[in-house]
Amino acid sequence: MLEAVKALQDERILMYKEHYNNTIPKRMPMRLSMPNRVIAESLGLSGIDFNYDASVLDEAKLEIARTIFSDQNPFSAPGIVGNRFPGYYQLLRSQSFVMSNTGFTQHPEVIGMDPGQYPKLIEDPIGLLFEDVLPTHYKSFAVGAVGAANYFMMASSYTAQIGAPFATINAQLAKEHGYWPGAPRGSGGSGVAPFDFIADQLRSFSGISTDIRRNREALKEACDVMVPLMFNWSLPPNPDPQGQVRCPLHMPTYMREKDFVELWMPSFQKIMEQWAARGVRTGLFCEHDWTRFFDVIQDMPHGVEIQFEYGDTQEIKDKVGKKFLLTGMYPITMVGRSTKQQVLDKAKQMLDILMPGGGYIFYFDKNPLYLGDVNFENMAALGDFVHEYAVYDNPGQSYGWPVNYENFAIDPSIEVLPKSKYLHDWDGFKAEYPLAPDFAAPMFKQLQKETLNSFLDLLR
């Protein structure tokens, strides 16, 4: 048994390595998804309680995994994107991420700065975030320095505590099923486009919509100013073709094409190109329907992986699949609401379009949210079908283009963070503590990066 599981995992490791290094593997990688809330509902548990002790789902995960085939672990771990556990935000008295009566951690429309603060954002972005935005969104930061430190340390410890059981159950699942262990450590992360960051956390949807008309130049300059922060925040320390910086894109489908091209795209384009120059792949979740932007996004770097929520599969393959890697697009609503035969027919239809030429990983258009989105028999049948059907007849053939096919030159200036009194200054520190050895400087720089990122994560 153990030998068979090890052989399957070795097969998967090779399969993903080949896929992300532009070689068609023996079969197409596939991933199914089963969020914690869906499992809790299937057990008749509260949509709230599991958020504070997810280990109550462990036995169900083990049982479900025995019936559903997936090359990746289908169960999501706690994180700052997609599976937020509310205790972290409650300890910080968050106004930006709030648990609903049904247990979802939601992001209401929030305003972190008024339009008159664009000059401060442009002049001192870190100062604005630390002095105005974070205390507005997180009331525990407005109780004094020691009190804020207390709550922040509590929240950080809470995250480590609630996350620990996931490592245990994931190790057991990997031992039983040989899931792909993932990209090499340190080769991926989560990113945010500068325009989306300003919209989501600083100005709100309605505010940014007004700014496009009334504060256009200030908004454009602010996006440019945010580039080093957004770039460094998500830059992986150990780039690898299998890893990626995953970026959900929120605002573009609500914008005119002219505004998308002039305001949204330039700052994020620079970030993507500089990630690519360092061997980092960008992974995009394009929310809603991006059909009208298919021609515009051709300027994005080769090798970007894109998950589309909506759109015509054939058109996506023809217009976007030639340059970029693709994933997603299978409608999760079918799994919960259609017959088994309809589920399999749809999978065959999509695979017949997306498999030829390589470059596609089977996945849903979006994660299931409720138990009603998932019929377990349909999910099991779908996993078995894709596993058996998605076998290539031309393994070993090259396809597509690698990350940084364009050979972008590294621009070191993008790594220089804005000056701020809130950031550790080694020269000033050395002047105050002259006995501190110079070889400690890189360690202090890394500590500052990690600490700054932990604050920025509150605004992701």
Side-chain angles (χ1 to χ4, degrees):
M1 177 65 177
L2 290 177
E3 290 182 1
V5 172
K6 178 64 165 59
L8 178 58
Q9 187 173 65
D10 288 345
E11 173 192 316
R12 285 167 167 159
I13 290 172
L14 177 61
M15 178 173 64
Y16 277 90
K17 184 175 182 179
E18 289 180 333
H19 171 84
Y20 281 117
N21 283 277
N22 304 99
T23 298
I24 294 177
K26 291 172 62 176
R27 65 177 177 86
M28 182 198 67
M30 57 91 66
R31 173 185 171 215
L32 302 183
S33 178
M34 195 71 62
N36 293 306
R37 181 186 181 85
V38 171
I39 304 170
E41 287 188 5
S42 74
L43 298 173
L45 298 177
S46 162
I48 295 176
D49 290 350
F50 79 90
N51 280 311
Y52 299 88
D53 180 12
S55 65
V56 298
L57 308 179
D58 287 357
E59 290 302 318
K61 289 180 180 180
L62 292 170
E63 186 61 33
I64 291 170
R66 294 179 185 121
T67 64
I68 294 177
F69 184 92
S70 175
D71 288 316
Q72 298 184 48
N73 186 339
F75 308 113
S76 49
I80 55 175
V81 177
N83 195 23
R84 303 175 191 268
F85 277 69
Y88 176 76
Y89 299 97
Q90 291 168 337
L91 282 166
L92 297 174
R93 297 171 62 205
S94 173
Q95 315 299 299
S96 185
F97 297 101
V98 181
M99 187 178 73
S100 70
N101 291 335
T102 57
F104 279 109
T105 302
Q106 301 172 320
H107 175 54
E109 187 170 37
V110 293
I111 298 175
M113 72 171 215
D114 63 50
Q117 290 179 290
Y118 268 111
K120 182 174 181 179
L121 174 62
I122 293 167
E123 178 66 25
D124 184 12
I126 295 176
L128 177 83
L129 297 180
F130 278 42
E131 295 168 4
D132 301 294
V133 179
L134 284 170
T136 297
H137 291 345
Y138 294 90
K139 298 303 182 183
S140 290
F141 287 154
V143 297
V146 176
N150 171 64
Y151 283 113
F152 190 60
M153 291 180 70
M154 282 184 66
S156 299
S157 296
Y158 168 86
T159 300
Q161 184 170 321
I162 200 167
F166 283 88
T168 302
I169 188 63
N170 286 347
Q172 188 171 349
L173 287 164
K175 183 178 179 180
E176 286 192 19
H177 303 284
Y179 293 128
W180 178 53
R185 184 181 295 272
S187 64
S190 298
V192 185
F195 189 103
D196 283 352
F197 179 84
I198 295 171
D200 289 345
Q201 296 292 337
L202 306 188
R203 293 293 295 126
S204 78
F205 179 86
S206 56
I208 202 79
S209 300
T210 300
D211 292 346
I212 289 174
R213 302 188 306 273
R214 298 181 181 176
N215 298 288
R216 191 178 186 87
E217 292 306 313
L219 174 56
K220 188 176 189 312
E221 188 174 356
C223 287
D224 292 338
V225 166
M226 295 302 293
V227 165
L229 265 180
M230 300 296 103
F231 173 83
N232 284 282
W233 183 12
S234 306
L235 180 65
N238 182 34
D240 184 274
Q242 297 178 75
Q244 59 183 252
V245 177
R246 182 82 168 155
C247 306
L249 306 182
H250 307 308
M251 285 298 301
T253 54
Y254 299 102
M255 302 173 68
R256 298 182 305 167
E257 183 175 323
K258 172 182 172 64
D259 297 331
F260 174 74
V261 171
E262 294 181 1
L263 298 178
W264 191 96
M265 190 71 171
S267 55
F268 192 51
Q269 178 77 15
K270 182 175 183 179
I271 289 174
M272 288 190 291
E273 290 179 358
Q274 286 302 303
W275 279 337
R278 292 158 177 80
V280 177
R281 187 188 307 278
T282 303
L284 306 178
F285 174 39
C286 292
E287 298 180 6
H288 305 125
D289 189 344
W290 279 61
T291 302
R292 62 192 175 97
F293 294 128
F294 283 169
D295 291 334
V296 179
I297 64 175
Q298 295 299 324
D299 290 335
M300 291 181 176
H302 287 80
V304 170
E305 181 180 272
I306 306 179
Q307 175 187 351
F308 289 104
E309 185 172 9
Y310 299 114
D312 180 82
T313 306
Q314 187 67 62
E315 185 176 8
I316 290 172
K317 174 70 173 181
D318 293 342
K319 289 193 173 183
V320 185
K322 294 178 181 178
K323 181 173 183 179
F324 307 115
L325 303 182
L326 298 175
T327 187
M329 292 181 277
Y330 187 92
I332 185 58
T333 53
M334 289 201 67
V335 180
R337 304 173 191 174
S338 301
T339 67
K340 183 184 297 184
Q341 192 57 52
Q342 289 172 329
V343 168
L344 302 186
D345 288 345
K346 180 64 175 179
K348 182 179 183 303
Q349 177 196 25
M350 289 187 59
L351 292 174
D352 287 345
I353 294 171
L354 294 166
M355 276 189 67
Y360 174 68
I361 290 181
F362 186 89
Y363 187 51
F364 301 128
D365 55 356
K366 50 186 170 291
N367 285 335
L369 291 178
Y370 300 98
L371 181 60
D373 293 332
V374 176
N375 176 304
F376 286 100
E377 289 186 9
N378 283 352
M379 185 78 84
L382 178 62
D384 290 341
F385 173 79
V386 175
H387 175 224
E388 295 169 4
Y389 186 78
V391 177
Y392 287 104
D393 57 10
N394 58 337
Q397 181 176 314
S398 298
Y399 76 90
W401 296 269
V403 175
N404 204 27
Y405 170 81
E406 298 90 340
N407 197 27
F408 295 114
I410 289 178
D411 177 6
S413 68
I414 199 173
E415 299 182 24
V416 179
L417 291 173
K419 292 287 186 182
S420 174
K421 64 182 180 181
Y422 295 103
L423 297 185
H424 176 78
D425 172 42
W426 173 259
D427 292 335
F429 180 81
K430 179 74 171 176
E432 186 174 359
Y433 302 101
L435 295 181
D438 290 338
F439 67 74
M443 177 179 66
F444 278 72
K445 180 180 180 180
Q446 180 62 28
L447 289 170
Q448 176 61 90
K449 174 181 172 63
E450 293 172 1
T451 304
L452 176 61
N453 285 354
S454 66
F455 281 106
L456 292 175
D457 285 343
L458 294 167
L459 302 173
R460 194 189 296 277

